Amino acid sequence: MTGFAKPVVNELVEVNGGAVRMTCVSMGNPHCVVYVPDTAGLNLPVLGGAMEHSKWFPEGVNTEFIQILDETHLKMRVWERGSGETMACGTGACAAVVASVLNGHCKKDTDVDVLLLGGTLTIRYTGDTVLMTGNAVEVFTGTVEV
């Protein structure tokens, strides 16, 4: 990430002609969490692509768009760098909860359910450790011809 003093928490930025507030965290890979009033109405290819290729992330970034339902439930859509929208992202769900604790939306050391298109993950951020619980589910099978 470039252009900001770290840490980046609730930073107002202009993206694609509009303003969003972002919080950036690392889960071993870069994540940018953006809070939105409703995840269903997002034009994710436009906004997610704009974040991935913005000047602040020269190597790209995974962006989580979060709708806060209450302090123990978040709804999330994710744009993964190099892949586009995906049905779920474990590190993204972890990043969403860490960012939500940093922003005061969720409490430390409390289970938070993150509702994704591919299912629900339960995340607990203790302040030192991030714990994730959820199911691994096969969503696609196929054959590749070479």
Side-chain angles (χ1 to χ4, degrees), residues 30-52:
H31 290 271
C32 176
V33 177
V34 175
Y35 295 95
V36 296
D38 180 15
T39 59
L42 288 177
N43 186 343
L44 203 59
V46 171
L47 193 51
M51 293 302 292
E52 177 184 3

Side-chain angles (χ1 to χ4, degrees), residues 7-146:
V8 174
V9 177
N10 199 32
E11 186 76 36
L12 184 64
V13 294
E14 185 177 322
V15 178
N16 205 39
V20 299
R21 290 200 172 271
M22 68 179 182
T23 296
C24 299
V25 297
S26 174
M27 294 290 121
N29 56 347
H31 290 271
C32 176
V33 177
V34 175
Y35 295 95
V36 296
D38 180 15
T39 59
L42 288 177
N43 186 343
L44 203 59
V46 171
L47 193 51
M51 293 302 292
E52 177 184 3
H53 300 292
S54 73
K55 62 185 177 185
W56 308 296
F57 307 106
E59 295 180 25
V61 70
N62 301 309
T63 306
E64 288 74 39
F65 297 91
I66 306 300
Q67 177 182 346
I68 301 165
L69 302 177
D70 59 42
E71 67 180 14
T72 60
H73 295 86
L74 305 175
K75 192 172 180 185
M76 177 176 123
R77 286 178 67 190
V78 60
W79 183 269
E80 293 195 59
R81 64 180 176 168
S83 298
E85 184 172 17
T86 59
M87 293 181 67
C89 177
T91 58
C94 292
V97 172
V98 170
S100 294
V101 169
L102 293 174
N103 281 286
H105 302 302
C106 299
K107 294 179 182 173
K108 267 188 205 176
D109 211 19
T110 301
D111 285 345
V112 177
D113 289 336
V114 181
L115 290 67
L116 301 124
L117 296 176
T120 299
L121 292 171
T122 302
I123 311 298
R124 177 180 288 253
Y125 172 50
T126 68
D128 296 315
T129 303
V130 183
L131 305 166
M132 178 175 64
T133 305
N135 295 322
V137 179
E138 183 177 315
V139 295
F140 179 80
T141 59
T143 303
V144 176
E145 291 186 32
V146 180

